[in-house]
Amino acid sequence: MDALDRQIIAALRENGRATYADLGRKVGLSASAVHERVGKLEATGVIVGYHAVVDPSAVGLGVTALVGIHPTDTADDDDVALELAGLIEVESCYRVAGDESFIVKVRVATVDDLERALGRLRRIAGVARTRTTVVLSTRFEGRPNTSDAAFEPGDPSA
C-alpha cells in the first residue's frame, strides 16, 4: 500500500459513494487507475465493505449504552463473543484490557428494552456481571481518521 492508496482510502472514508472519477480527481489518477487500485484494496481485505450511516433515533433506536462485560474465572472469550454477536441489540463489541473482557455498544428503542437486553447479556455463560453507561448525547461517532498518521507507524511516545 502506497501514499496514493492511502489517499484513496481517506477519500472513501469521507464519502463511500464517490465515483472512481471523483476519486481520481482528488488523488490525481484516472478513473480506471483508481478502479484498479480499489479492486486490489478490496481483494486484499483492506477495504472490507461500504455502509450507509443511519441516524439511530430516526429508526427508533433512541437509547444507546456502553456495557462493560466482566468475565467469570472460567469464561471462554471466544464463546462469550459468539453469544454477544447473536444479540441484535449489540451494535459493536470490543475486546479490551483491564477488569472487563469486552465493552459493547447497545442500541435499543427504550430504557425498558435496555433492561431486557442487559438481562440477556447477564445470562450469557461466562458473564459474571456488567457495568452500564447510558449515553446522554453523541457528539460525534464513526469519524474517519483521514490523516496520514492514521496509516503510518507513529512515535509511541507522542
Side-chain angles (χ1 to χ4, degrees):
M1 187 164 54
D2 63 13
L4 284 172
D5 288 335
R6 290 182 188 91
Q7 289 177 16
I8 291 168
I9 291 167
L12 283 170
R13 291 187 74 190
E14 289 175 13
N15 179 6
R17 297 184 67 175
T19 66
Y20 294 126
D22 292 338
L23 294 170
R25 280 189 291 278
K26 195 162 194 162
V27 301
L29 293 175
S30 68
S32 61
V34 170
H35 181 262
E36 182 178 330
R37 283 176 174 264
V38 169
K40 287 180 182 174
L41 291 167
E42 291 169 344
T44 58
V46 174
I47 296 175
V48 296
Y50 301 88
H51 310 277
V53 179
V54 177
D55 177 359
S57 294
V59 295
L61 299 174
V63 177
T64 302
L66 304 175
V67 182
I69 309 291
H70 293 263
T72 62
D73 291 337
T74 59
D76 181 291
D77 286 342
D78 291 335
D79 291 343
V80 172
L82 188 61
E83 292 294 322
L84 291 169
L87 298 177
I88 193 165
E89 302 92 347
V90 174
E91 183 176 292
S92 303
C93 177
Y94 305 96
R95 175 74 170 97
V96 297
D99 291 337
E100 300 162 332
S101 287
F102 299 98
I103 295 178
V104 296
K105 184 190 326 180
V106 173
R107 289 206 201 260
V108 292
T110 68
V111 174
D112 289 338
D113 292 334
L114 177 59
E115 184 176 12
R116 284 188 286 277
L118 291 172
R120 285 191 290 281
L121 281 169
R122 291 183 188 119
R123 286 192 295 275
I124 293 173
V127 173
R129 62 188 173 90
T130 62
R131 182 188 51 82
T132 303
T133 303
V134 175
V135 175
L136 298 177
S137 66
T138 301
R139 303 300 182 184
F140 61 87
E141 182 174 54
R143 180 177 63 175
N145 183 341
T146 58
S147 72
D148 287 340
F151 301 107
E152 298 293 334
D155 178 0
S157 65

